[in-house]
Amino acid sequence: MSKIKPSKGAPYARIMGVGGYRPTRIVPNEVILETIDSSDEWIRSRSGIATRHWANDEETVTAMSVEAAGKAIADAGLTPEQIGGVIVSTVSHFKQTPAVATEIADKIGATRPAAFDISAGCAGFGYGLTLAKGMVVEGSAEYVLVIGVERLSDLTDLEDRATAFLFGDGAGAVVVGPAKEPRIGPTVWGSEGDKSETIKQTVPWTDYRDGAVERFPAITQEGQAVFRWAVFEMAKVAQQALDAAGITADELDVFIPHQANMRIIDSMVKTLKLPEHVTVARDVETTGNTSAASIPLAMERLLATGQAKSGDTALVIGFGAGLVYAATVVTLP
C-alpha cells in the first residue's frame, strides 16, 4: 500500500475573475496599407478586422500582464498574496530564460507562487486554464492566475500581404479557484504536428544571429490551409467539448472562440448550428488576432459591456500554431 497521502484540493474549480489590457495605440487598416498592396475593403472582407492595438515601448509583455492580472485579482475579490500559481502563455517574450511569469508574479506582489511560461500559440489560454484547474483540484495551489499575453507587432512582417493586417497586442487574465460544483468542464485538446508548417516563425533566432538572414524573424502562415483546418476540424473539437460537458448547443449562452478571423468565427457558428440566443464574441474586429490573449480579452469585453453576464455557460476554444487546440465549457465569473 502506498505511504503517500492523497492530495487535499477542491472538488472542482471555477473562473473567479477576469481582467484585460489593450495598448493605448489604436491602429486602423489605413496604417497597414502603407506597406502592403491591398485595401481596407479587402482586409475587412477577408478577416473582419478594422483596427488593432499595438504596444508602445512601455507596454511590455510584463507591463501589460501586470495590468490585466491586477484587474482579474480584484474582480475575483482576492489579494495578490493569495495567488499560489502564475501561468503565462506567450510566444512574444524574447528572453529564453527566466520565465516572464516569475517577473510578473513579483511585480503583482504574489508571495512565492509557482510560476512558469507555456508556449501553445493561440490555444495557450486553454492549455493554461486546464493546468490551473488541475492545480486547484490537486491542491498544490488554491488560487491560480492564468495570463495570455502577446506583443505580436514585434513578430509581424509589415510587408507580408497575407499576415501584416492580422496581429495585435494585449493581455488577458483570469483567476482560477475552488468550486463546490463543476464550473470548468473537461478539456478537449491535442495537436497535429504534421501540419506545423502552416503557421510558423519564418526562421530560427540563430539564423538571424549568425547573419544567415537580414530580416528579423516574423510569423507567417498558409492562410487557406489554416482556414480550412479551423473551420472543419475545430468545429468538431468544439462539439466534442460540448459533449464532454454534457450540454447541447441549445443550453449554451456564450461562444468565445479564438479571435483569429471573423470568417472562421461565423463559419464555426454555422457548423455548430448555434441558436440565435447564443452571444458570440467578435472582438477580432477592433482587437485583431492577439493569439493567447484573445479569449480572455474577448471574455472581459463581453462581461464589461453586458453582452454576457455572470453565471452564463460559455464554450471557449483556442487553436493555432503547432497545430494545437484546446476547448472547454466554463461558467463565466
Side-chain angles (χ1 to χ4, degrees), residues 102-116:
T102 59
E103 181 181 355
I104 293 166
D106 177 64
K107 288 188 178 297
I108 65 173
T111 307
R112 301 182 69 180
F116 57 95

